[in-house]
Amino acid sequence: MTIENTGLKLPAGVALRLASPADLDAIMLLEQECFAAEAWSRQNIQAELTEPHTYYVVLQDEGGNLLGYAGLSKLSSSDQSDIQTIAVSPSQRGQGFGKILMRALLDEAVARHAKECFLEVRADNPVAESLYRTLGFEQIDVRKNYYRPSGVDALVMRLDLRRYAPVVLGIETSCDETGIGIVRGNQLLANVISSSMDEHARFGGVVPEIAARAHLEALRPTMVKALEEAKLTLDEIDAIAVTNGPGLGGALMVGVGAAKALAVATGKPIYAVNHLVGHVGVDVLERGELEVPTIALLVSGGHTSLLLVRNLLDDVELLGETIDDAAGEAFDKVARVLGLKYPGGPEIDRAAADGDPKAIRFPRGLSLPKDMAEHRYDFSFSGLKTAVARHVEVAEASGQSYSKADVAASFREAVVDVLVTKAVNACLDYDVPRLLLGGGVVANRRLREVAAEQCAKQGIELRIPAFSLCTDNGAMIAALGAQLIMAGRRPSSMGFSAESTLAVTDVQ
Ligand code: KG4
Ligand code: ZN
């Protein structure tokens, strides 16, 4: 039986499946090859394979040859689980098979509701010990002369499974979306969003005070709904993560206050995390891990940032950002000029459908050679917005009609052209073969089209998370919190505050 586990990436041609008694001969051969005099007996392994409280898996190649096997034991009466054995064929080492086997067992331990996992490792096997440490195991004891007949000591190691796959509740309130997300490790359990967008519509943009009040009202019901969706109680949450910036000060304060209150009331650890880095980290929920290095283009109503991410948790560099309006804001403002509704992005997308993108050559902000020297990766949309307004004014003043579709299409083309050109330039300049998009503007059809075209042309892999994970949401905050916990980071101290201009280098 093949094991379907989206989090585990298997090399081509390699399969992971449950072990069966039919594997006994092959397992015995490998057991002897790996452990010689200390190998288990055939009866012993046979019994292990058939016990109901054990879980044995094998890795095999296309020819059906056994590459490795491993087993876990978890009694239903206990919170503890044990790694019984793990072996990788000597000719197949150094390819990550040990880690794949371990992760299969640990995922199963979590699924069987174990809270801890224990194992013994030979004191003279630093390679295995280091693998276990990277998974979060810590040494808790030494058993002298444990292995017979060699007399080698055994190190006893323990993994807190809440660190291997912590259940984290994430709170996002940096703009107009109240987002509560719940994850278990890299697995998405719930993503509930309550938006105050409609309340801002008549003002043509987000009004900070209205957003903050809306968060206050929406937080509790949104959290209740998220817990329901995840089928969890608050007690079952291991940690809380919250966006503490960048964003609107008052809006952030509501989330930060709520998260702190929750942490104090429940005694759970709290992680204050960066909103922009959250947009990038959300990819772990779909792919199990973030492939780095990657360039990330984050475009929403509040931000337009180009990041170089070498390591999600401690090496994020801001290459450039908007020096005036955010990309989404430009869509919203131009929509208003054209008499379209808020939010402007979808309206302009619709209006542009029948327009000619080449009808009017609107300016491409910070793209002239003289600007590129200083602002190669920065953006500016206010000149473009003014150009659109002038175009409409001139047409109206002279009593001529103008084509809304052509203006919308030409404006959209100008924004998309700059966004994609600069992002692709960053990939080429830094020799990064990946581009990840995030933020509400990613809904833009033309942006997706041009990004796909340009990336394909340059051999760049384009990543666009599901739209519900692209717009502001709590799941990305929970996912980043979980990443920090899995990496062994300490919780934030309660003294942190909402920081509207938090730098991307401050991941936590
Ligand atoms: O990420 P998001 O939901 O968060 C905030 O910034 O609040 O992004 C909202 C922004 C708005 O400015 C909206 O006009 C823009 O994303 N947007 C779009 C499209 N759909 C939404 N912009 C361009 N094209 C779209 N189809
Ligand atoms: Zn955002």
Side-chain angles (χ1 to χ4, degrees):
M1 189 172 103
T2 316
I3 297 164
E4 301 292 333
N5 191 325
T6 50
L8 289 178
K9 268 214 219 98
L10 298 175
V14 174
L16 179 74
R17 61 172 175 79
L18 287 178
S20 82
D23 295 312
L24 198 54
D25 288 341
I27 289 181
M28 277 315 291
L29 276 178
L30 195 49
E31 177 78 12
Q32 261 142 16
E33 199 178 356
C34 292
F35 304 113
E38 287 163 3
W40 280 0
S41 70
R42 191 181 177 89
Q43 293 89 317
N44 204 336
I45 292 186
Q46 186 162 23
E48 282 283 309
L49 290 183
T50 46
E51 290 281 0
H53 65 269
T54 61
Y55 178 77
Y56 272 74
V57 292
V58 299
L59 267 181
Q60 65 179 34
D61 67 13
E62 274 165 320
N65 301 306
L66 196 65
L67 304 171
Y69 63 92
L72 173 92
S73 158
K74 159 78 175 64
L75 291 169
S76 56
S77 56
S78 162
D79 279 351
Q80 301 181 349
S81 58
D82 293 277
I83 304 293
Q84 300 288 82
T85 185
I86 171 164
V88 173
S89 167
S91 63
Q92 300 292 339
R93 298 203 176 139
Q95 300 177 68
F97 293 151
K99 193 169 188 178
I100 292 171
L101 288 165
M102 281 298 293
R103 290 195 46 190
L105 298 189
L106 295 173
D107 289 348
E108 181 66 15
V110 171
R112 293 190 185 196
H113 305 290
K115 295 221 161 45
E116 298 172 292
C117 187
F118 295 87
L119 61 77
E120 281 116 24
V121 56
R122 287 175 68 110
D124 62 356
N125 188 351
V127 175
E129 186 190 333
S130 134
L131 163 65
Y132 304 146
R133 285 194 191 279
T134 57
L135 290 164
F137 279 89
E138 284 166 346
Q139 186 188 331
I140 53 164
D141 201 1
V142 183
R143 298 215 172 108
K144 292 283 178 199
N145 292 319
Y146 182 79
Y147 292 96
R148 296 282 154 184
S150 64
V152 171
D153 296 346
L155 308 182
V156 182
M157 302 186 86
R158 172 187 174 273
L159 171 67
D160 181 345
L161 286 168
R162 283 168 303 185
R163 177 179 153 188
Y164 174 72
V167 180
V168 182
L169 180 135
I171 302 178
E172 155 62 37
T173 64
S174 69
C175 191
D176 60 344
E177 266 97 21
T178 312
I180 306 278
I182 303 175
V183 302
R184 174 180 282 119
N186 292 334
Q187 187 196 356
L188 178 65
L189 301 182
N191 186 20
V192 180
I193 288 161
S194 160
S195 174
S196 60
M197 190 180 291
D198 295 347
E199 295 173 56
H200 307 283
R202 68 194 168 101
F203 303 102
V206 176
V207 183
E209 178 66 17
I210 294 178
R213 281 167 191 268
H215 286 310
L216 210 50
E217 283 171 20
L219 256 170
R220 213 185 117 75
T222 310
M223 190 172 91
V224 169
K225 216 164 145 198
L227 286 166
E228 265 171 30
E229 198 174 302
K231 299 192 179 62
L232 292 173
T233 63
L234 201 47
D235 263 3
E236 292 168 298
I237 302 291
D238 296 319
I240 293 153
V242 61
T243 305
N244 77 314
L248 302 171
L252 286 167
M253 253 158 30
V254 177
V256 167
K260 284 186 181 179
L262 205 57
V264 170
T266 60
K268 313 232 183 242
I270 187 168
Y271 288 79
V273 304
N274 188 298
H275 175 87
L276 294 176
V277 181
H279 271 302
V280 184
V282 78
D283 204 27
V284 302
L285 297 176
E286 290 185 339
R287 295 212 292 189
E289 61 185 294
L290 179 75
E291 296 205 19
V292 285
T294 185
I295 296 288
L297 172 68
L298 307 179
V299 277
S300 76
H303 37 79
T304 308
S305 311
L306 199 53
L307 314 182
L308 167 57
V309 183
R310 294 190 187 90
N311 178 316
L312 186 69
L313 302 188
D314 43 32
D315 195 351
V316 182
E317 190 184 329
L318 179 71
L319 296 180
E321 59 188 337
T322 181
I323 60 167
D324 40 59
D325 295 344
E329 199 179 352
F331 274 94
D332 297 335
K333 288 180 174 172
V334 165
R336 200 143 56 141
V337 168
L338 297 178
L340 301 171
K341 285 200 308 248
Y342 173 85
E347 294 283 317
I348 288 187
D349 240 0
R350 220 168 291 136
D354 310 319
D356 174 6
K358 295 204 180 85
I360 310 141
R361 174 79 194 171
F362 284 128
R364 270 67 173 156
L366 300 182
S367 294
L368 297 172
K370 69 177 167 60
D371 298 320
M372 287 296 268
E374 209 185 321
H375 292 289
R376 186 167 177 79
Y377 307 116
D378 288 326
F379 304 92
S380 165
F381 297 108
S382 83
L384 170 61
K385 171 194 67 190
T386 310
V388 175
R390 291 263 318 139
H391 181 89
V392 171
E393 258 170 39
V394 168
E396 279 172 351
S398 60
Q400 292 167 348
S401 68
Y402 66 92
S403 159
K404 212 178 260 190
D406 283 351
V407 174
S410 303
F411 159 76
R412 182 178 69 170
E413 200 65 12
V415 176
V416 167
D417 184 11
V418 178
L419 290 176
V420 175
T421 303
K422 294 203 173 209
V424 167
N425 276 347
C427 290
L428 298 176
D429 296 349
Y430 286 91
D431 202 14
V432 172
R434 258 166 239 114
L435 173 63
L436 182 135
L437 304 185
V441 179
V442 174
N444 193 278
R445 250 181 267 157
R446 187 69 186 140
L447 174 61
R448 288 167 171 256
E449 231 170 70
V450 176
E453 254 168 50
Q454 293 303 316
C455 285
K457 208 185 217 172
Q458 303 292 350
I460 297 165
E461 183 199 5
L462 180 65
R463 277 295 298 159
I464 308 181
F467 190 58
S468 59
L469 297 176
C470 271
T471 49
D472 289 351
N473 66 83
M476 68 185 197
I477 301 307
L480 184 52
Q483 291 290 312
L484 288 164
I485 297 170
M486 291 188 279
R489 298 296 172 84
R490 297 189 161 282
S492 306
S493 70
M494 275 293 182
F496 75 87
S497 52
E499 291 189 39
S500 54
T501 56
L502 189 69
V504 284
T505 41
D506 283 327
V507 176
Q508 180 194 0

